[in-house]
Each structure stands twice: as structure tokens, then as C-alpha cells.
């Protein structure tokens, strides 16, 4: 996220606009990619991009890249959305 203007308590209502730019689906996984902008009125405060992954239990059980039993690195956010 690139901050263009400071955001503070006096900024008022902040509106987020998100644009889906890509979706990829394979082997029980769905990856979505977005561009986003934050506005206060007509003033753009920030912009950036992000992505989210949706995984079945089977896809998570068969994931590659993490050794069995090890916790993910500290900078990886893992959430169970069930």
C-alpha cells in the first residue's frame, strides 16, 4: 500500500474501492488479485494491490513449501474462515 496523504482521526470517512484484476483456480485453490484505492471524498489517500487465497482442506493438507509440523513464518498470516 502506498500512502499518498496522511490518514488520521480528522480525515473523516475513508472509502475503499477495490477492482478484481485476476482470478486463478486450480487443484482446489482459488487465488484472487485486486487493485485498491482509499479515498476521503475526492482525495485519493492511498493505492496498492493485494491478493487472497481460498483453499480446500485437502489442498491445505497437501500444500508444498512448509515442512511437516513447522509453524508458518512470522510474516505469513493464516486464517481459517470456516
Amino acid at each position: 500500500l502506498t500512502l499518498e496523504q496522511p490518514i488520521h482521526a480528522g480525515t473523516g470517512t475513508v472509502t475503499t474501492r477495490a477492482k478484481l484484476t485476476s482470478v486463478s483456480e486450480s487443484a482446489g485453490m482459488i487465488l484472487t488479485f485486486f487493485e485498491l484505492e482509499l479515498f476521503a471524498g475526492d482525495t485519493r489517500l492511498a493505492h496498492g494491490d493485494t491478493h487472497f487465497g481460498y483453499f480446500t482442506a485437502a489442498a491445505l493438507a497437501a500444500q508444498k513449501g512448509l515442512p511437516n509440523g513447522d509453524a508458518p513464518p512470522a510474516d505469513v498470516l493464516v486464517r481459517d474462515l470456516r
Side-chain angles (χ1 to χ4, degrees), residues 11-68:
T11 299
T13 301
V14 175
T15 303
T16 302
R17 293 183 188 163
K19 176 182 176 184
L20 178 65
T21 58
S22 179
V23 176
S24 176
E25 184 176 359
S26 178
M29 299 176 286
I30 301 171
L31 302 176
T32 57
F33 298 83
F34 297 89
E35 293 175 352
L36 56 100
E37 296 177 297
L38 280 69
F39 288 88
D42 292 332
T43 302
R44 188 165 87 166
L45 305 173
H47 71 278
D49 54 63
T50 190
H51 53 276
F52 297 92
Y54 305 90
F55 308 94
T56 63
L60 287 173
Q63 69 181 323
K64 305 291 184 205
L66 293 177
N68 247 352

